[in-house]
Amino acid sequence: MRRIRWYKIALIAGSLLALWLAFWSIGHFTDPHRYRLVARYAARDAPTVPPEEYLKDDPGYQRYITEGRPAVFTESGQFLYEKGGDPYHTEQEEAVIAKRDWSGRRLWSVTLPECDWRSFSASPKGEYLATVSAGGGSTLIEIWQDGKLTWDWPASHFNWNGAVLINNDCRVLFWNEDQVTVVEDGEMIATGELPLNI
Amino acid sequence: MFGLLEPHSLAGNRYHPTAPPSQEYLALAIRNRKVVPVRKFTVPNAGENWQFLSDGSVLFADGALYSPDGKKGGAPGWQTYLAINSLIQSSIGAGRNQAFGSILWNGDVRIQYKGTPPAGRCRIFLPHSGRSIPIAADIVKIDKIMALLPSEDGSYLLSVNLDYDFSSTAVGTLARRLNEKVILPDALKYKAMEGIRFELYEPAGKKRAVLSGRFIAEGIPYIAAARHRYLPINAAISPDGRSLVILAQRIDSNIREYLHFAW
């Protein structure tokens, strides 16, 4: 009876393994990589029925319509996303604004209680966030730095129907149809009439 | 809304009226607790197809770039687009090309085109440095291209392709002729083919990363991730091109999610 030469089998198996490794490594360096999922999270609630104005233009593709603002990107590409609350409607609803990096990691988040949340603005570098909410006939502007409340400013005299901007220097500028106001460190530092003469 | 206050001007903010055809805008300053205009900057009337860049420059569709001090630069003669899906929408018109939504984020980098798509030359334009990087013709001429998104440094391009030619198998054709009375899984009714492809290229043409999906029904592609099937809505690539974010909706519900991919 012929004796089994285990070392020969091991040699053949080893050769096959080396061959496979060689091909795998060639493929590894030449083939394109496969994208792999690293993070996922819910976007803002989508409407059940897309608005009519979208459907009339492209009736077959209503599934693809993006409603509202899904995300607000900062200058550096990091982005904020919102869940709950809608500055375009006046629903009493808790809102969450979170800043994430491109790998999906949450850097900070701000949770706003149920209120008449009107608007928000992120500074271009994404460090500061200004939120505007209304309730009881007054308007409150709150400034957040890296997710922590730094100062607020009750704009009770301000008839809110406009927009807000916050800069990298934490200076907040908001305006409506006829006036512009600049606030810094919780104090109004300047105001102006709009439209400016040009 | 009377206009728009831009946040990056020399004085901190800028105001420009939105009512066309005016193309004037102002830098604002604070003097004696008053917000006052300090600079009036008029640019040629070029319709509405112009954009502010992050440093306050104004980039026009013809490639002209006006810096905040009024100096003209850029690359006139090159049609300038946010990305190739805006190119498709403006040159070919509305229709199914609009199925892929607006780009989530694009930064300041732009796609420029010279000639008539898809026969002309295409390149990446980096406005701040004035540098341009030619894009291999093969990437632009890929059939059924929906979007081409450059990374912020111009080192990568994300190409989104959708194959509209959704072909049926013989069994599927037979089932359809029987007025769909025969219930079959989609896998038997349709040929297994890639419906949508997200491909990352270097501008010279080397393919670096791939994400592909199939069809769930005619003309409706999906991507599979985390045991769910998603309809891609729109996408963005990170400034360095290493990450891909897709906004997608689950097929079986209204839930929309951001999906972060890496390679």
Side-chain angles (χ1 to χ4, degrees):
Chain A
M1 187 175 164
R2 196 167 172 164
R3 224 177 125 194
I4 298 171
R5 307 281 184 186
W6 291 106
Y7 71 91
K8 283 187 179 175
I9 293 170
L11 201 65
I12 291 166
S15 303
L16 288 172
L17 186 65
L19 204 62
W20 177 80
L21 268 174
F23 277 109
W24 179 84
S25 59
I26 290 169
H28 181 75
F29 289 114
T30 55
D31 289 353
H33 297 269
R34 293 269 163 195
Y35 276 111
R36 56 189 168 79
L37 186 71
V38 292
R40 68 188 177 102
Y41 47 89
R44 225 183 70 192
D45 299 338
T48 307
V49 180
E52 287 296 322
E53 60 266 30
Y54 291 133
L55 295 176
K56 72 183 179 191
D57 292 335
D58 204 3
Y61 288 92
Q62 64 268 36
R63 282 188 174 87
Y64 298 93
I65 297 299
T66 303
E67 169 65 9
R69 298 180 303 173
V72 179
F73 285 84
T74 66
E75 195 176 78
S76 56
Q78 293 166 325
F79 64 95
L80 299 156
Y81 93 102
E82 49 183 299
K83 179 167 174 52
D86 190 340
Y88 295 112
H89 303 93
T90 53
E91 295 168 358
Q92 300 287 319
E93 187 181 0
E94 184 183 89
V96 178
I97 302 172
K99 181 183 175 185
R100 292 179 182 264
D101 64 14
W102 282 91
S103 65
R105 188 166 56 102
R106 183 185 278 207
L107 303 174
W108 54 252
S109 67
V110 167
T111 302
L112 301 172
E114 287 185 11
C115 63
D116 186 357
W117 179 41
R118 294 296 179 88
S119 181
F120 75 83
S121 169
S123 60
K125 289 182 179 171
E127 185 181 0
Y128 298 106
L129 178 74
T131 58
V132 181
S133 56
S138 65
T139 303
L140 181 67
I141 297 172
E142 291 173 300
I143 307 304
W144 312 78
Q145 181 178 10
D146 293 332
K148 295 186 177 71
L149 184 66
T150 55
W151 53 267
D152 57 28
W153 192 67
S156 52
H157 66 285
F158 198 76
N159 178 21
W160 183 262
N161 186 23
V164 64
L165 271 176
I166 185 165
N167 280 336
N168 287 330
D169 58 4
C170 199
R171 186 184 287 177
V172 182
L173 187 142
F174 59 96
W175 69 98
N176 61 12
E177 288 86 350
D178 54 9
Q179 67 172 315
V180 55
T181 304
V182 184
V183 183
E184 192 173 36
D185 277 337
E187 291 184 12
M188 186 174 72
I189 59 168
T191 185
E193 301 293 320
L194 290 176
L196 296 159
N197 294 320
I198 55 172
Chain B
M1 181 63 70
F2 62 87
L4 180 68
L5 286 150
E6 290 285 335
H8 310 298
S9 71
L10 298 171
N13 288 286
R14 178 180 295 112
Y15 163 78
H16 66 86
T18 53
S22 176
Q23 299 287 341
E24 296 176 330
Y25 66 99
L26 295 172
L28 306 182
I30 297 169
R31 285 181 186 159
N32 297 326
R33 295 177 65 86
K34 289 283 180 190
V35 180
V36 293
V38 292
R39 179 190 291 275
K40 180 171 162 182
F41 174 35
T42 305
V43 293
N45 187 350
E48 296 180 356
N49 199 359
W50 57 278
Q51 300 140 27
F52 276 116
L53 302 181
S54 61
D55 67 347
S57 303
V58 183
L59 186 63
F60 285 87
D62 67 354
L65 180 72
Y66 286 81
S67 60
D69 59 6
K71 288 180 183 167
K72 188 181 178 185
W78 287 81
Q79 293 297 310
T80 306
Y81 303 90
L82 269 173
I84 215 161
N85 73 339
S86 59
L87 185 159
I88 291 168
Q89 286 172 24
S90 59
S91 63
I92 299 174
R96 63 185 180 181
N97 289 310
Q98 288 185 336
F100 196 69
S102 57
I103 299 157
L104 287 173
W105 180 79
N106 191 246
D108 282 346
V109 68
R110 295 290 184 269
I111 294 280
Q112 289 191 322
Y113 218 95
K114 194 173 236 179
T116 309
R121 284 186 294 152
C122 189
R123 69 184 194 180
I124 299 168
F125 179 57
L126 297 97
H128 297 311
S129 64
R131 199 161 64 94
S132 60
I133 304 167
I135 300 173
D138 292 347
I139 299 176
V140 185
K141 287 178 183 170
I142 292 172
D143 287 343
K144 297 126 188 172
I145 195 165
M146 296 177 74
L148 192 63
L149 317 178
S151 63
E152 188 66 0
D153 61 357
S155 56
Y156 294 106
L157 282 156
L158 179 76
S159 158
V160 184
N161 282 269
L162 179 65
D163 194 341
Y164 294 101
D165 298 329
F166 187 76
S167 55
S168 180
T169 61
V171 176
T173 307
L174 187 63
R176 204 161 296 151
R177 287 193 179 159
L178 293 170
N179 213 10
E180 298 281 357
K181 284 176 182 167
V182 180
I183 298 169
L184 291 170
D186 284 342
L188 287 176
K189 287 198 292 189
Y190 303 109
K191 286 179 183 169
M193 55 195 296
E194 290 183 340
I196 192 162
R197 291 181 304 282
F198 296 83
E199 296 173 325
L200 191 72
Y201 288 92
E202 291 173 3
K206 182 177 171 55
K207 195 191 293 184
R208 298 303 300 268
V210 177
L211 173 71
S212 59
R214 297 185 181 279
F215 284 114
I216 190 160
E218 189 164 348
I220 301 176
Y222 74 89
I223 52 173
R227 298 180 183 174
H228 294 288
R229 293 192 290 183
Y230 293 92
L231 298 161
I233 297 168
N234 48 27
I237 57 169
S238 59
D240 63 0
R242 303 290 305 185
S243 302
L244 163 67
V245 175
I246 299 175
L247 175 61
Q249 181 170 319
R250 283 193 203 172
I251 280 171
D252 54 1
S253 72
N254 268 335
I255 296 172
R256 292 185 178 196
E257 293 181 38
Y258 289 104
L259 308 173
H260 287 251
F261 294 91
W263 55 275

